[in-house]
């Protein structure tokens, strides 16, 4: 990775508490182009600034982050971490020193306060290109013209943006803050939109889905969504990455950075396709979806060393998050079930033993002889457990982004 450990840590906390920012580094861990709290979608708009406008944006971003650094230093020295306490302490000073508009200063204060929410043991610093949040007082959309009026160091600028018709329709439901970020030299806005969650469909059954390493997803119908393509790309990249890391030149670092981007985009595309297919299957056949509740997957799963990297990767979490949000938009309920023994229990006779799973891929019941593809068996067990979740489905694991606003839904099985 071209970034040092220090910078990585800086990015991690800076983003963690509120997702108010965006960094390419974080995108590897949690893809935030689309994060969700079920009915909230973040859409990405590419800005098309003129050279002068781009320069103004760059200066705005770096000044705002310099202000954050300044506020952070004050917070650290005086051990004051609350937003309002900080505002009392240094609002006037920051406004005069950095020549920012009042709203900009307020946003900077929130950003610093948010950054310290996680803990107050490390002093926070901000990269000059770190994303900043805008609210309606300093940014407004002219949706029909595909342009935004945005506050910069040079005053208000009207900047065009690229946007498809679907995104335009979504923009009409935009609420709250919008983030400005510079990614790879391009300028983006990340706007939070609210989408009406459709009423849950009446369902007759549950589609169990087992997400795994060898097979990315296997459902209880026996449909195997193979991860072969994704794995091949990963493997090839990993080999190349090791070679480049050993080399350690500036050029090799640049190549590594590019590689990470390619892999991320490819995995995201595969995840979008898979999740779309799974949700469509559930909807068409009037079923809810059941997934394993994977809060403790890292401690629970024992995987071969060669598989661990894949298992712990962000792509895995992304697929789950995509399934959950696409299901929500389609009115398909998602249930999370206890993952214990899903790969050991026999769906035919109920015999539960570790030895039932002969190898990674095959399952043979020691009691009744029932046999099949191990992942398919797991998906079937997840389906059965999903059917049992009726009154109080657990949505606590709905996404990495947290989902405070989720309504529990009933599964129409009675
Ligand atoms: Zn059996």
């Amino acid at each position: 990775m071209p970034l040092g450990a220090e910078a990585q840590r800086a990015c991690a906390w800076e983003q963690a508490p509120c997702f108010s920012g965006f960094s390419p580094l974080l995108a590897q861990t949690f893809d935030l182009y689309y994060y969700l709290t079920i009915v909230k979608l973040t859409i990405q708009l590419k800005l098309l600034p003129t050279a002068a406008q781009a320069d103004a944006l760059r200066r705005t971003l770096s000044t705002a982050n310099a202000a954050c650094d300044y506020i952070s230093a004050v917070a650290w020295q005086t051990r004051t971490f609350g937003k309002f306490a900080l505002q009392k302490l240094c609002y006037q000073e920051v406004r005069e020193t950095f020549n920012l508009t009042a709203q900009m200063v307020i946003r900077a204060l929130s950003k610093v306060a948010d950054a310290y929410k996680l803990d107050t043991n490390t002093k926070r610093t901000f990269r000059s290109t770190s994303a900043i949040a805008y609210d309606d007082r300093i940014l407004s959309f002219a949706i029909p013209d595909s342009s935004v009026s945005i506050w910069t160091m040079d005053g208000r600028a009207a900047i065009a943006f690229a946007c498809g018709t679907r995104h335009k329709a979504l923009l009409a439901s935009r609420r709250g803050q919008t983030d400005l970020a510079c990614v790879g030299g391009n300028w983006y806005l990340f706007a939070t939109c609210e989408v009406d969650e459709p009423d849950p469909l009446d369902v007759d059954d549950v589609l169990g889905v087992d997400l795994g390493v060898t097979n990315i997803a296997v459902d209880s119908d026996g449909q195997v969504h193979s991860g072969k393509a994704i794995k091949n790309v990963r493997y090839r990249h990993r080999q190349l990455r090791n070679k480049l890391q050993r080399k350690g030149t500036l050029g090799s670092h640049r190549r590594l950075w590019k590689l990470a981007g390619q892999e991320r985009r490819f995995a995201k595309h595969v995840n979008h396709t898979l999740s779309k297919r799974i949700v469509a299957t559930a909807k068409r056949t009037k079923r809810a979806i059941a997934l394993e509740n994977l809060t403790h997957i890292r401690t629970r799963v024992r995987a071969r060393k060669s598989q661990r990297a894949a298992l712990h990767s962000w792509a895995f979490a992304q697929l789950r998050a995509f399934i959950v949000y696409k299901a929500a938009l389609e009115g398909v309920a998602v249930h999370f079930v206890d993952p214990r023994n899903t790969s050991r229990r026999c769906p035919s006779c109920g015999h539960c033993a570790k030895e039932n799973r002969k190898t990674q891929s095959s399952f043979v019941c020691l009691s009744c002889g029932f046999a099949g593809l191990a992942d398919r068996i797991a998906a079937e067990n997840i389906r059965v457990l999903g059917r049992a979740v009726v009154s109080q489905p657990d949505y606590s694991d709905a996404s990495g982004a947290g989902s405070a606003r989720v309504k529990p839904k009933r599964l129409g099985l009675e």
Side-chain angles (χ1 to χ4, degrees), residues 317-337:
Q318 186 185 58
L319 176 60
R320 288 169 58 77
F322 280 5
I323 292 175
V324 174
Y325 101 75
K326 285 187 206 289
L329 292 179
E330 295 291 339
V332 173
V334 177
H335 301 282
F336 295 96
V337 305

Side-chain angles (χ1 to χ4, degrees), residues 185-203:
N186 293 314
W187 291 92
Y188 295 95
L189 287 176
F190 294 88
T192 310
C193 300
E194 289 185 359
V195 181
D196 277 343
E197 192 180 353
D199 288 335
L201 301 170
D202 280 340
V203 293

Side-chain angles (χ1 to χ4, degrees), residues 115-146:
Y116 278 109
K117 261 183 198 159
L118 201 62
D119 71 72
T120 53
N121 306 325
T122 345
K123 184 181 170 184
R124 313 302 201 226
T125 53
F126 297 84
R127 283 173 299 119
S128 66
T129 55
S130 165
I132 52 169
Y134 275 80
D135 64 23
D136 289 347
R137 271 168 276 195
I138 40 182
L139 178 141
S140 56
F141 283 87
I143 300 172
D145 308 338
S146 293

